[in-house]
Amino acid sequence: MPFTEDLSQFVDPADFGRAATWNSTTVNGIFDNGFLPVDAGGEIRFETLTPQFICRTEDVAGATHGQSVTIDGVAYLISGIHPDGTGFTTLMLRKP
């Protein structure tokens, strides 16, 4: 049986989502710009800042590496595209 949940409620800017501009359109998602601990052989060696934007897969169909995404007035480039198979895709971002 296919997954039929309305995913838009999970990324609604009226709650905890954010609006972004990608490909001249508004896309709602969850923006995470926190620190990520990096495990090197079972021990945390350093932390890195990895901005990412989790959004509905259908909203970013056709996204490609290097395209621009603007969130809260800050421009990022897509450096990774990770669909999770449940209807969401994580766009890994970096500053130009």
Side-chain angles (χ1 to χ4, degrees):
M1 174 180 262
F3 190 66
T4 58
E5 183 77 27
D6 176 13
L7 301 178
S8 64
Q9 63 187 329
F10 297 108
V11 295
D12 187 347
D15 289 324
F16 52 86
R18 292 236 181 99
T21 303
W22 165 77
N23 205 20
S24 300
T25 62
T26 299
V27 177
N28 294 330
I30 299 168
F31 181 59
D32 182 9
N33 198 18
F35 283 95
L36 175 69
V38 176
D39 184 333
E43 182 178 329
I44 302 298
R45 302 279 180 154
F46 59 94
E47 294 179 347
T48 182
L49 186 63
T50 308
Q52 54 187 326
F53 190 67
I54 303 166
C55 51
R56 297 185 319 162
T57 300
E58 67 185 83
D59 292 341
V60 291
T64 60
H65 292 85
Q67 286 182 317
S68 180
V69 175
T70 302
I71 304 168
D72 296 334
V74 178
Y76 298 91
L77 297 177
I78 298 173
S79 61
I81 303 166
H82 304 275
D84 69 5
T86 69
F88 286 102
T89 292
T90 300
L91 299 177
M92 304 304 293
L93 307 173
R94 65 176 177 83
K95 290 193 177 181

